[in-house]
């Protein structure tokens, strides 16, 4: 099948070419993001492969359909950026990679916690400059602390298990509790999780209910000096509210791998440009904030799984045989 792959980076090409040896699809690797202006590049391709910051609005989907696209193969788990109703109306089949390596994201959340707690990024810079002072680098033992996990699905449960290994007490909140999760965490209400946790990590999808789940009111219910970690989706957090929380000291540490307006920033080298997003720039001024550019998924294992599952989805669609991980309205984002 002919596949137009948008937002291609060098690593996508490497891993997709390798995985495609088993499938023999014809892939056109396109660097631009999928946008209304770039959608016509899909002409002549029956499948489009899109990533998390591609525009999958009704306008773009209509344009893809007009250019002969039948299958939208997302190389991500989340699909909150997709107008699923429009895809259904247009008769576009949408597939995704439901799980590629929950360990990758869970472990990255832990990397943010350790980096923030022990100020690894500040220590690294100091030592390089011959500054061996420990002032300002004081951390805390994770052992004995309480960690709150919002969303106890695949990633949340693995994260909870790792934190249990550090000797933390782990609380979980999920509107659909999983009895299996209770081996690594104890379910509580969201209110109790906010008020008791020293560290709160978000592992729920972005839905209308979870949008801004961390707003000013939520921050006000948290412990003083709480550490907040978001490796899920930027819009779970009202950035203005957490900036106020950082200024007041209510939030003691903030670790983000995702950001509300990341589409304009992440996955690009903007080091020679002036960042126009003042809210993001303000975040970077805090010594107790650590931001990474949506790299939670970025391990060899996860990228291999993403490429293999995406191409298997295309093959299943083409042959009508095998597992097609279809996105349907019932599954949520
Ligand atoms: P999952 O579907 O296995 O688990 C999500 C859990 O969230 C489910 O148990 C669900 O019941 C729960 N949930 C739904 N609504 C909720 C709410 N209102 N409050 C609390 N919990 C709620 O998904 P997963 O594989 O564990 O992935 C979790 C999220 O991680 C994804 O939705 C995605 O946004 C994010 N993610 C990020 C990266 C990255 O690179 N940073 C990569 C993959 C996934």
């Amino acid at each position: 099948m002919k596949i137009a792959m948008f937002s291609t980076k060098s690593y996508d090409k490497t891993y997709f070419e390798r995985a495609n040896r088993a499938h023999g699809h014809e892939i056109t690797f396109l660097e631009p993001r999928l946008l209304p202006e770039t959608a016509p590049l899909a002409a002549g391709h029956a499948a489009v492969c899109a990533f998390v910051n591609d525009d999958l609005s009704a306008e773009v989907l209509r344009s893809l359909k007009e250019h002969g696209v039948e299958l939208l193969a997302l190389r991500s788990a989340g699909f909150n950026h997709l107008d699923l109703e429009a895809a259904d109306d247009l008769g576009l089949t949408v597939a995704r990679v439901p799980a590629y390596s929950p360990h990758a994201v869970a472990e990255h959340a832990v990397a943010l916690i350790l980096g923030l707690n022990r100020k690894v990024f500040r220590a690294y810079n100091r030592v390089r400059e011959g500054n061996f002072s420990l002032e300002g680098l004081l951390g805390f033992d994770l052992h004995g602390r309480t960690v709150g996990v919002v969303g106890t699905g695949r990633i949340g449960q693995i994260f909870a298990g790792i934190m249990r290994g550090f000797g933390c007490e782990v609380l979980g909140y999920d509107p659909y509790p999983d009895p299996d999760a209770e081996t690594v965490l104890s379910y509580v209400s969201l209110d109790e999780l906010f008020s008791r946790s020293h560290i709160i990590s978000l592992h729920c999808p972005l839905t209308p209910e979870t949008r801004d789940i961390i707003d000013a009111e939520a921050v006000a219910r948290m412990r003083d000096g709480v550490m907040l970690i978001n490796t899920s989706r930027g819009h779970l957090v009202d950035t203005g509210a957490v900036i106020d929380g950082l200024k007041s000291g209510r939030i003691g540490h903030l670790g983000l791998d995702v950001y509300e307006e990341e589409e304009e920033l992440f996955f690009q080298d903007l080091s020679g440009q002036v960042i126009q997003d003042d809210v993001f720039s303000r975040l970077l001024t805090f010594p107790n904030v650590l931001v990474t550019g949506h790299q939670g998924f970025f391990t060899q294992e996860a990228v291999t799984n993403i490429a293999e599952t995406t191409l298997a989805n295309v093959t299943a669609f083409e042959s009508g045989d095998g597992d097609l991980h279809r996105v349907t309205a019932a599954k949520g984002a």
Side-chain angles (χ1 to χ4, degrees):
M1 210 161 168
K2 287 182 88 170
I3 309 170
M5 183 183 289
F6 285 85
S7 301
T8 304
K9 304 291 178 199
S10 63
Y11 45 84
D12 292 312
K13 196 163 181 281
T14 305
Y15 281 84
F16 271 79
E17 279 178 342
R18 193 176 299 161
N20 197 32
R21 288 185 207 133
H23 295 275
H25 296 299
E26 213 178 300
I27 310 176
T28 308
F29 295 103
L30 302 164
E31 281 181 30
R33 259 174 72 200
L34 177 55
L35 296 167
E37 311 83 73
T38 59
L41 293 171
H45 300 80
V48 155
C49 181
F51 197 46
V52 289
N53 289 331
D54 283 319
D55 179 345
L56 302 177
S57 60
E59 180 189 1
V60 170
L61 298 182
R62 254 193 312 277
S63 172
L64 293 180
K65 185 74 186 174
E66 279 164 21
H67 287 93
V69 174
E70 296 164 34
L71 172 69
L72 187 54
L74 306 179
R75 55 182 192 280
S76 61
F79 51 92
N80 52 277
H81 54 316
L82 164 74
D83 187 333
L84 188 51
E85 212 174 301
D88 276 349
D89 289 348
L90 289 162
L92 262 177
T93 300
V94 185
R96 66 173 182 142
V97 183
Y100 34 88
S101 169
H103 298 279
V105 185
E107 289 171 13
H108 191 69
V110 178
L112 292 176
I113 291 171
L114 291 171
L116 278 166
N117 177 23
R118 307 308 294 266
K119 284 97 180 149
V120 177
F121 52 107
R122 300 186 66 197
Y124 170 80
N125 285 328
R126 277 191 197 182
V127 170
R128 282 170 67 92
E129 289 186 3
N131 175 358
F132 303 102
S133 158
L134 298 184
E135 295 293 339
L137 300 186
L138 191 68
F140 57 85
D141 281 7
L142 287 174
H143 184 92
R145 297 282 167 159
T146 302
V147 176
V149 183
V150 180
T152 60
R154 282 171 290 245
I155 296 172
Q157 286 187 35
I158 289 168
F159 171 78
I162 299 172
M163 297 317 290
R164 277 285 290 262
F166 278 109
C168 297
E169 177 188 13
V170 184
L171 307 177
Y173 167 75
D174 197 307
Y176 310 99
D178 176 354
D180 289 346
E182 293 185 85
T183 53
V184 283
L185 55 82
S186 309
Y187 281 111
V188 294
S189 67
L190 190 57
D191 243 347
E192 187 175 343
L193 185 149
F194 283 157
S195 63
R196 285 182 53 198
S197 301
H198 297 98
I199 299 171
I200 296 172
S201 193
L202 306 179
H203 298 289
C204 54
L206 176 62
T207 64
E209 294 77 50
T210 61
R211 200 181 177 92
D212 290 338
I213 194 167
I214 305 299
D215 57 7
E217 207 190 304
V219 172
R221 284 186 276 156
M222 293 175 191
R223 290 182 87 110
D224 259 346
V226 66
M227 180 188 288
L228 179 65
I229 304 293
N230 185 11
T231 55
S232 277
R233 284 294 179 264
H235 280 292
L236 297 178
V237 171
D238 173 349
T239 314
V242 296
I243 287 177
D244 288 344
L246 285 160
K247 285 163 77 175
S248 72
R250 172 63 58 123
I251 298 178
H253 298 91
L254 176 68
L256 300 179
D257 187 47
V258 287
Y259 168 65
E260 285 185 274
E261 307 297 335
E262 68 176 54
E263 293 81 357
E264 302 305 323
L265 299 168
F266 288 2
F267 305 123
Q268 314 165 65
D269 179 359
L270 302 179
S271 54
Q273 295 182 34
V274 174
I275 301 288
Q276 298 297 326
D277 184 331
D278 292 346
V279 176
F280 186 77
S281 299
R282 179 69 179 100
L283 271 182
L284 300 186
T285 65
F286 293 96
N288 49 352
V289 172
L290 178 51
V291 183
T292 52
H294 207 138
Q295 68 176 74
F297 73 99
F298 202 48
T299 64
Q300 295 164 9
E301 292 77 4
V303 179
T304 301
N305 283 341
I306 289 171
E308 288 176 353
T309 308
T310 303
L311 293 175
N313 280 338
V314 176
T315 302
F317 176 81
E318 189 179 30
S319 64
D321 198 23
D323 262 356
L324 174 65
H325 299 99
R326 238 185 131 129
V327 177
T328 58
K331 281 190 182 155

